[in-house]
């Protein structure tokens, strides 16, 4: 077993057992402090400055990898380097290691209170792909759009459906989102109109960042796919349902989703998620051999969505029908290449219950059953000034490996 995930590990930094960032997590992110932007990891309520540690020689063989405004170079280096850095950081933060613990000068330089930093996008994202891998979500939406009998399209159980999204508008948690303008057509009107979306929605998703790239013309064998995935973040794939409904045929989502996608700032490495791997849903019919998963690749990650401070949905990443290795292998099956730092999102993660729906569209049954808000109000879709927060964590024995949150507030449309 990887010693960096042991439940018995303790750090000399104090934190609560429910804290998202214990020594078993060690996520990577990019932060700004003192006018400089660089890479760090998170431990409790502190950020550990990896650029400083690199400069001081704590990562033999690495130079200039962390003193950069994005993690792409580190992502490109692959599992052996990822593992070395993770082991070194885990050892340094261990309660039994005197090095950093007893060096108050180094501690005050290297450990920065989280409250004093500004987080940045962790990666220069080259390409963004959004899958559609939750059977419950695809069934819920398909039923609303096409009726129960035609809910799942004929291809759905045979391949992980996706569309190529827009990376330029992937923004960090906390970035306000302007209600999109767009073209919509009401069923009872003859002509479409141009105006602010009236059916603005969130999508509860997670995404993974790719590591070492592949070359054009060379499909990735599913047995090697895990080595090309560094870690995961929370994703909110904002969606304008009225624009989507009018524009989506025949080529899929376009302007209904290209205005913004929000992600959480810390990338939790697959290494930290390893103890939480579990069996996914039974796949019937059996996938074609190139999509045969080498073992269990679902993850038990609890997910919650809040509107303002009101809990409106509870789901779990383990409900995903298609797993991340199947998604990545299918993405490259044609020889399509990937680059370090591509973002691949899961698609809306809905579960089997009424309260495990990952979008307003499903929660309010296309507007027929509004979500009740405390104080007597209700919501079908998002209003201006609404704030959506998604959080998620894996529950270990006496600790949590968490993702923090991805939050965003809706601002009025800019005409
Ligand atoms: Mn989506």
């Amino acid at each position: 077993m990887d010693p960096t995930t042991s439940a018995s590990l303790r750090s000399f930094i104090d934190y609560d057992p429910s804290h998202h960032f214990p020594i078993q997590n060690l996520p990577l992110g990019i932060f700004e402090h003192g006018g400089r932007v660089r890479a760090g990891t998170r431990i409790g309520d502190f950020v550990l400055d990896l650029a400083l540690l690199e400069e001081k020689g704590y990562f033999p063989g690495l130079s200039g990898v962390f003193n950069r405004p994005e993690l792409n170079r580190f992502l490109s280096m692959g599992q052996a380097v990822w593992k070395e850095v993770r082991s070194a950081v885990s050892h340094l933060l261990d309660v039994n290691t005197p090095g950093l613990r007893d060096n108050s000068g180094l501690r005050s330089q290297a450990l920065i209170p989280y409250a004093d930093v500004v987080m940045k996008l962790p990666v220069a994202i080259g390409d963004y792909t959004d899958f559609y891998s939750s059977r419950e979500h695809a069934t819920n939406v398909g039923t609303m759009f096409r009726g129960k009998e035609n809910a799942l399209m004929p291809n759905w159980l045979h391949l992980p459906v996706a569309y190529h999204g827009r990376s330029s508008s992937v923004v960090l948690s906390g970035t306000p989102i302007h209600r999109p303008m767009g073209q919509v057509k009401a069923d009872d009107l003859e002509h479409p109109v141009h105006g602010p979306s009236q059916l603005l929605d969130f999508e509860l998703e997670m995404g993974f960042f790719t590591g070492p790239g592949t070359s054009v013309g060379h499909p990735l064998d599913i047995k090697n796919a895990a080595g090309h995935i560094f870690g995961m973040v929370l994703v909110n794939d904002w969606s304008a349902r009225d624009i989507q409904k009018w524009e989506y045929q025949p080529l899929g989502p376009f302007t209904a989703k290209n205005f913004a996608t929000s992600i959480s700032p810390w990338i939790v490495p697959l290494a930290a998620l390893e103890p939480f791997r579990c069996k996914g849903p039974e796949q019937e019919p059996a996938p074609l051999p190139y999509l045969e998963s080498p073992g269990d690749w679902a993850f038990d990650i609890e997910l919650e969505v809040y509107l303002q401070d009101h809990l409106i949905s509870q789901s779990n990443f383990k409900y995903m029908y298609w797993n991340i290795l199947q998604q990545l292998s299918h993405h490259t099956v044609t020889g399509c290449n990937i680059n370090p730092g591509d973002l691949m999102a899961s698609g809306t993660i809905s579960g089997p219950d009424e309260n495990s729906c990952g979008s307003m569209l499903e929660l309010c049954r296309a507007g027929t059953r509004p979500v009740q808000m405390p104080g007597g109000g209700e919501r079908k879709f998002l209003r201006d000034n609404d704030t959506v927060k998604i959080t998620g964590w894996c529950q270990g024995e006496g600790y949590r490996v968490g993702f923090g949150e991805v939050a965003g507030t809706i601002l009025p449309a800019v005409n």
Side-chain angles (χ1 to χ4, degrees):
M1 201 185 111
D2 176 359
T4 66
T5 61
S6 165
S8 62
L9 279 183
R10 297 282 177 274
S11 175
F12 56 84
I13 302 287
D14 277 331
Y15 44 77
D16 195 78
S18 65
H19 203 288
H20 279 203
F21 302 105
I23 191 169
Q24 288 87 355
N25 191 337
L26 305 179
L28 287 195
I30 294 289
F31 71 99
E32 181 177 353
H33 180 257
R36 290 188 302 122
V37 179
R38 58 217 192 258
T41 186
R42 178 86 183 264
I43 178 81
D45 292 329
F46 291 89
V47 172
L48 179 66
D49 185 339
L50 295 180
L52 180 82
L53 296 179
E54 181 184 45
E55 197 185 291
K56 290 188 179 292
Y58 281 84
F59 310 125
L62 296 195
S63 104
V65 174
F66 293 123
N67 195 13
R68 303 166 62 86
E70 26 66 22
L71 290 163
N72 296 59
R73 195 158 148 201
F74 178 69
L75 297 186
S76 75
M77 300 177 100
Q79 277 181 320
V81 173
W82 301 343
K83 196 172 172 183
E84 269 173 40
V85 168
R86 181 172 169 82
S87 300
V89 172
S90 176
H91 179 69
L92 201 58
L93 290 171
D94 193 294
V95 69
N96 299 312
T97 307
L100 180 61
R101 187 191 68 192
D102 298 346
N103 184 339
S104 59
L106 181 60
R107 272 180 73 154
S108 67
Q109 269 189 297
L111 285 163
I112 304 158
Y114 179 65
D116 295 347
V117 310
V118 175
M119 296 305 294
K120 299 285 178 181
L121 268 185
V123 171
I125 303 169
D127 277 302
Y128 161 47
T129 300
D130 193 22
F131 284 86
Y132 189 58
S133 290
S134 155
R135 184 175 190 164
E136 287 82 0
H137 171 69
T139 305
N140 291 342
V141 173
T143 303
M144 285 177 227
F145 281 43
R146 291 179 296 274
K148 210 168 177 146
E149 280 66 46
N150 305 308
L152 284 189
M153 298 298 271
N155 56 10
W156 202 93
L157 293 170
H158 297 275
L159 58 86
V161 169
Y163 66 94
H164 288 114
R166 184 75 195 167
S167 56
S168 68
S169 53
V170 176
V171 297
L172 197 68
S173 174
T175 307
I177 307 297
H178 282 282
R179 177 179 298 278
M181 297 290 293
Q183 189 178 131
V184 302
K185 193 185 93 57
D187 289 339
D188 54 349
L189 292 182
E190 196 184 339
H191 298 291
V193 296
H194 169 229
S197 166
Q198 301 298 318
L199 305 183
L200 185 55
D201 203 350
F202 68 86
E203 287 189 339
L204 163 60
E205 303 197 14
M206 297 197 69
F208 65 83
F209 278 107
T210 53
T214 60
S215 25
V216 181
H218 296 271
L220 188 53
D221 189 314
I222 194 161
K223 290 183 200 73
N224 304 325
H228 292 262
I229 299 176
F230 173 68
M232 297 183 66
V233 292
L234 299 166
V235 177
N236 182 344
D237 178 32
W238 305 97
S239 299
R241 301 299 178 197
D242 41 1
I243 297 173
Q244 184 180 359
K245 190 177 179 206
W246 171 232
E247 77 174 4
Y248 90 105
Q249 286 174 321
L251 289 186
F254 182 30
T255 64
K257 286 163 183 281
N258 73 2
F259 57 95
T261 305
S262 301
I263 65 169
S264 55
W266 295 105
I267 311 177
V268 177
L270 280 199
L273 299 173
E274 180 69 25
F276 306 99
R277 264 172 58 187
C278 62
K279 204 170 159 51
E282 233 20 82
Q283 294 188 313
E284 173 62 39
L288 288 169
Y290 82 96
L291 287 173
E292 254 169 45
S293 192
D296 295 330
W297 279 90
F299 291 88
D300 186 357
I301 305 172
E302 311 255 12
L303 296 165
E304 291 181 343
V305 184
Y306 292 82
L307 181 51
Q308 277 61 281
D309 291 316
H310 178 51
L311 178 66
I312 57 170
S313 175
Q314 284 180 289
S315 189
N316 194 302
F317 190 67
K318 71 183 176 193
Y319 298 138
M320 302 304 293
Y321 188 85
W322 295 104
N323 68 44
I324 57 176
L325 303 194
Q326 293 174 319
Q327 290 171 336
L328 189 54
S329 306
H330 184 65
H331 201 301
T332 67
V333 67
T334 54
C336 168
N337 61 321
I338 56 165
N339 288 305
D342 288 351
L343 174 63
M344 311 237 168
S346 57
T348 306
I349 306 160
S350 293
D353 315 317
E354 267 191 9
N355 298 322
S356 57
C357 292
S359 66
M360 292 300 284
L361 180 69
E362 293 161 87
L363 283 168
C364 76
R365 300 283 181 277
T368 60
R369 197 197 62 169
V371 172
Q372 300 304 315
M373 295 294 288
E378 58 177 44
R379 283 290 185 290
K380 294 175 180 171
F381 291 91
L382 300 175
R383 293 186 193 162
D384 291 347
N385 305 311
D386 275 353
T387 297
V388 177
K389 269 183 230 162
I390 298 173
T391 184
W393 69 90
C394 304
Q395 186 64 54
E397 288 200 22
Y399 69 99
R400 280 179 176 183
V401 169
F403 290 82
E405 68 173 29
V406 57
T409 299
I410 305 301
L411 298 183
V414 179
N415 202 331

